[in-house]
Every structure is written in C-alpha cells, then in structure tokens.
Amino acid sequence: MAALIHIVADAVVTLLNAGVAANAFALDFTAARVRVIDLKATTSLKVVVLGTAEQVSQAARDEDAVDLRIEIGIVRRIDRGTFDADVDLMVELVEQVRDYVRDHNVAGAEQTDIDLAPLYDHGRLLEKGLFAAVVVATYRVHRDREEA
C-alpha cells in the first residue's frame, strides 16, 4: 500500500491536470509528482508536486488527525525580452493554482491551509532568469488510532 502522503500528492497531480483540461489556468502544463526538483534542467514550464511533511496529532481518544504538507512547485525560465509580461503571467498562474487547490479536497483529505509566501523567488529570478514559486497546501485526514 502506498504511503498516505503519496496518495494525496498523486491526487493533487490528478486535480491539477483536470484543471488544465477544464481551462482553469492561464497556461497549459502537465503536473507530475517528483521527489526532487532539478532547477538547472528547467527550460519550459514545469509544475511539480511533492509530499514533504506529515504531522500527526490526537483528534479524539480513538482518532488521529494527520496533516500532510503538499508542495506545488511552479518554475519556468523567463525570457529577458518579455520579462515583465512573462512574470505577470506566471504570477497569475501561481494565484490560479493556489485558488484551484484551495477549493478542492482530494483522496478523502480536507484542504485546510494554503500558503504562498514568498509569492516567488525574486533572487533566483533576477540572477538566473528562473521564475520559481511554491504553493504549500495542507491536507488533513482523520484515521482511527488502530490504523496508525
């Protein structure tokens, strides 16, 4: 059986790709679950999903609440000739991804928190011409303590 965090991360990938098919985003992409992001190899738009943390707390005497941290990385090399327009479009995409994820629960997990700070990595953008943003979504799953 797959780890709970991977089940939820895979469900977020499916959710994002369904959003692309429904024209919910300013740009088309194919989201994928990865274990690490290779920013050096990035030449085109990449949307990657990583499960990065779990926190378990007791919700009731016989029930745990498991919070799963899912990070959605959005990266794209920015053309210096169209810098301002490209950055504006990427910020729009990041906000659309945040809003889309915020509005959907996945795989029996409730989306409870979303973070987008900083909006994108300004230093990496100015130094390397690479737009990089991370949308951090927290999903909560309740499970019986016997299942733990």
Side-chain angles (χ1 to χ4, degrees):
M1 183 169 138
L4 180 59
I5 198 163
H6 294 154
I7 292 169
V8 173
D10 285 339
V12 171
V13 167
T14 300
L15 172 70
L16 290 171
N17 289 333
V20 171
N23 296 314
F25 305 114
L27 295 169
D28 287 342
F29 58 84
T30 301
R33 183 167 66 91
V34 298
R35 281 143 185 84
V36 294
I37 301 173
D38 181 8
L39 295 177
K40 290 179 184 174
T42 300
T43 56
S44 60
L45 175 61
K46 285 187 181 180
V47 176
V48 295
V49 178
L50 301 91
T52 61
E54 285 187 25
Q55 182 176 344
V56 180
S57 58
Q58 187 171 351
R61 191 177 74 179
D62 59 348
E63 181 181 80
D64 284 334
V66 182
D67 288 338
L68 305 164
R69 179 183 166 115
I70 306 296
E71 296 186 9
I72 304 162
I74 303 167
V75 290
R76 179 180 173 199
R77 185 111 4 235
I78 298 297
D79 186 329
R80 294 285 180 199
T82 56
F83 187 86
D84 289 342
D86 285 353
V87 170
D88 288 349
L89 183 60
M90 290 303 296
V91 168
E92 179 182 357
L93 175 63
V94 168
E95 291 174 342
Q96 289 170 338
V97 167
R98 176 205 58 208
D99 294 345
Y100 196 78
V101 169
R102 182 191 62 219
D103 293 339
H104 293 88
N105 296 330
V106 298
E110 176 187 5
Q111 199 285 312
T112 61
D113 189 43
I114 199 139
D115 186 32
L116 185 55
L119 184 57
Y120 59 92
D121 186 336
H122 294 87
R124 188 178 308 273
L125 179 61
L126 294 175
E127 291 171 20
K128 301 191 186 306
L130 188 69
F131 182 96
V134 178
V135 176
V136 180
T138 302
Y139 288 89
R140 178 167 288 164
V141 175
H142 291 272
R143 66 179 180 196
D144 293 337
R145 296 208 79 184
E146 291 80 22
E147 294 178 24

